[in-house]
Amino acid sequence: MRVIYRGLAVGVTVAVAAVSLVFVLPQEPDGVAAGPIAAPSTPPSSSGPDPASSASSSPLSSALSSALSSGTPQAVAATAAAATPLASGPAATADPASPDPTSPDPTSSGPASSGNVTSAAPRPTPTPGASLAPGYTAMEALYADARLPRLPEKVQRVPLRGAGKYVIRDRRSGLAVPRLGRPWKTYGPAPFTSRQVLPKARGTQQRGMIVTCPLPIEAQEHPRDTALLAARWTLNHHPEGATIRWFASQPVKDGWMLAYQVKYGKRTSRAAVAVVDGGMSKPGLVFVTVPDAQKKRWHDITRVVSGVRALG
């Protein structure tokens, strides 16, 4: 019987050692390094019991000691059997400091909000004389300008003749424009880059003028729209209150041409603009105007816009 008791005691000791190793050692080699490290909420008291002595007085050790002291083989065997499932079971429960992957993150505020994405509705095209909201475009300003009517979809074209023999080369705008003979003459270009003028007519301050310069307004995607804005800009060089009536609209080589009448009070002028790409950073502008007091020179307007070409 003593041999049997000694054998059972050895078996129980091995089982206790296995259970202790299961609780102490991690299941995987990197288990300790991979697990989160949680700081204790409060520091351990220096007067408390030693953790090592607490571990040695666990309930399992107490039960085994009681079984060995009782001297009954049945009690020792039952205690050893109760210890076996613990050795083969899971090593440890989940770390309470580790978050449960199935539980919602308390710091998360839920799914990302898509926000109030609203598509900007297209603004209606302004009518002449309409007030504009901040942020309007150059073309909206054009449509709201009562001095310019809408360009008709079908507007007549004028026959354009070839370039003349003599030209003025404006290298800043990249354009060549016909140099007209008498009574036209060259004049100080400022604030333009080239200028030809007619003598002043008696009884009026207005006179014929042909100028070139780099485009003084913002170029648009379509050259016709750019020409429309350029024609609106030329009203700065006509008497106050001037309005426009369209005569012709047609493409020219590398650009667009518009011909129109300018009315101011009881007087009128005929004018034209040509916006042409001269290979510079901005298109070039040709502007010609002749008042009704010099209407014998109105045919020169067609001569000018017919002879405009890019220098390159």
Side-chain angles (χ1 to χ4, degrees), residues 2-64:
R2 290 182 180 179
V3 174
I4 293 174
Y5 287 159
R6 287 178 183 178
L8 289 176
V10 171
V12 171
T13 304
V14 171
V16 171
V19 172
S20 300
L21 287 174
V22 168
F23 277 97
V24 173
L25 296 180
Q27 289 290 317
E28 298 178 358
D30 297 334
V32 176
I37 301 174
S41 56
T42 56
S45 174
S46 59
S47 59
D50 186 1
S53 61
S54 299
S56 62
S57 59
S58 61
L60 180 60
S61 301
S62 301
L64 289 173

Side-chain angles (χ1 to χ4, degrees), residues 39 46 109 117 128 164 199-200 207 226 234 259 285 290 294 304 308:
S46 59
S109 57
V117 180
K200 287 185 178 181
R207 60 177 176 177
T226 305
T234 64
L285 171 67
V290 179
Q294 299 171 319
V304 171
V308 177

Side-chain angles (χ1 to χ4, degrees), residues 213-301:
C213 63
L215 187 67
I217 47 92
E218 180 183 359
Q220 304 298 302
E221 182 177 357
H222 196 286
R224 186 192 64 177
D225 293 341
T226 305
L228 285 168
L229 293 176
R232 178 174 181 257
W233 173 84
T234 64
L235 290 179
N236 297 327
H237 299 278
H238 287 101
E240 186 177 355
T243 58
I244 281 180
R245 181 167 68 92
W246 302 114
F247 280 159
S249 172
Q250 62 199 79
V252 295
K253 183 176 176 57
D254 301 319
W256 201 272
M257 185 276 296
L258 293 171
Y260 50 97
Q261 180 192 66
V262 183
K263 181 176 176 58
Y264 39 94
K266 296 180 179 181
R267 309 304 295 263
T268 62
S269 292
R270 290 195 178 182
V273 293
V275 177
V276 178
D277 183 3
M280 310 302 286
S281 58
K282 300 183 67 174
L285 171 67
V286 178
F287 165 47
V288 52
T289 178
V290 179
D292 56 3
Q294 299 171 319
K295 59 184 177 181
K296 291 182 179 181
R297 311 309 306 181
W298 278 352
H299 64 277
D300 289 338
I301 297 174

Side-chain angles (χ1 to χ4, degrees), residues 86-242:
L86 292 177
S88 60
T93 58
D95 186 353
S98 302
D100 184 1
T102 62
S103 61
D105 185 1
T107 61
S108 173
S109 57
S113 175
S114 59
N116 296 327
V117 180
T118 57
S119 58
R123 291 187 290 189
T125 302
T127 56
S131 58
L132 295 176
Y136 59 85
T137 66
M139 293 304 295
E140 288 175 334
L142 173 75
Y143 296 142
D145 195 332
R147 299 174 300 170
L148 290 84
R150 286 296 184 91
L151 185 67
E153 293 185 4
K154 295 182 178 181
V155 61
Q156 69 175 2
R157 296 188 176 193
V158 297
L160 301 178
R161 296 175 290 180
K165 182 178 180 180
Y166 302 101
V167 296
I168 293 177
R169 291 175 172 82
D170 179 6
R171 301 194 180 278
R172 288 188 58 190
S173 63
L175 302 181
V177 63
R179 181 193 296 270
L180 304 184
R182 290 179 182 271
W184 292 93
K185 64 179 181 179
T186 59
Y187 195 73
F192 310 102
T193 51
S194 78
R195 177 159 54 170
Q196 303 173 71
V197 298
L198 287 172
K200 287 185 178 181
R202 183 178 297 178
T204 179
Q205 295 297 319
Q206 305 302 313
R207 60 177 176 177
M209 180 173 63
I210 305 166
V211 300
T212 63
C213 63
L215 187 67
I217 47 92
E218 180 183 359
Q220 304 298 302
E221 182 177 357
H222 196 286
R224 186 192 64 177
D225 293 341
T226 305
L228 285 168
L229 293 176
R232 178 174 181 257
W233 173 84
T234 64
L235 290 179
N236 297 327
H237 299 278
H238 287 101
E240 186 177 355

